[in-house]
Amino acid sequence: MTDRELTEKVIGCAIEVHRVLGPGLLESTYQHCLAHELSLHGILFDVEAVLPVDYKGKKLDCGYRLDLVMYDRLIVELKAVDEVTGLHRAQLMTYLKLAKIEVGLLINFNVTRLVDGVCRIRV
């Protein structure tokens, strides 16, 4: 499966979660439901994956947790906020850099139409 096919499948699963639940819930609710939806579609993932910081050759656990990671190729950062900001995008870009993964999805569930809450980032 290509990165594009994977991101499309994940976005499709997120759209289904949003269609059923709508906006206005906690980020953790969307995370659990999206994880269940991904499982239903046979997509392998890790939840709350630890992301250490490599500092001068030493891996340090600085408390970073990735919402979802698929096949060590895609990071999905979930939000349930009024507006996605540059800080949210920078956060995902930093996670991608630290994890040495090229593609990420920033998905904000607090929107009327989920398509308006999806941002694909490639570094």
Side-chain angles (χ1 to χ4, degrees):
M1 175 178 347
T2 67
D3 288 347
R4 184 171 225 29
E5 291 169 332
L6 179 58
T7 57
E8 287 175 2
K9 285 186 177 201
V10 172
I11 291 168
C13 289
I15 288 171
E16 177 61 11
V17 169
H18 190 266
R19 186 190 68 74
V20 171
L21 298 177
L25 301 174
L26 295 173
E27 179 183 312
S28 59
T29 302
Y30 296 113
Q31 183 181 35
H32 284 95
C33 293
L34 181 55
H36 180 69
E37 192 67 30
L38 293 167
S39 293
L40 293 175
H41 286 85
I43 298 172
L44 301 177
F45 59 90
D46 289 317
V47 179
E48 295 292 324
V50 174
L51 179 61
V53 173
D54 187 351
Y55 182 74
K56 295 186 176 183
K58 175 96 171 140
K59 293 201 181 292
L60 305 173
D61 183 350
C62 295
Y64 294 112
R65 302 291 181 268
L66 303 176
D67 290 339
L68 296 162
V69 182
M70 283 96 208
Y71 305 102
D72 292 325
R73 292 182 15 222
L74 175 66
I75 295 174
V76 178
E77 181 64 22
L78 303 176
K79 299 294 178 196
V81 295
D82 288 336
E83 181 181 341
V84 170
T85 67
L87 184 60
H88 296 124
R89 287 182 189 85
Q91 176 186 21
L92 178 55
M93 290 177 67
T94 299
Y95 289 168
L96 291 168
K97 179 182 169 187
L98 291 173
K100 296 179 176 67
I101 294 176
E102 293 183 5
V103 181
L105 290 174
L106 178 58
I107 302 175
N108 181 21
F109 281 92
N110 199 33
V111 291
T112 304
R113 295 177 341 129
L114 191 69
V115 70
D116 297 328
V118 175
C119 178
R120 186 175 185 271
I121 295 176
R122 178 179 283 277
V123 293

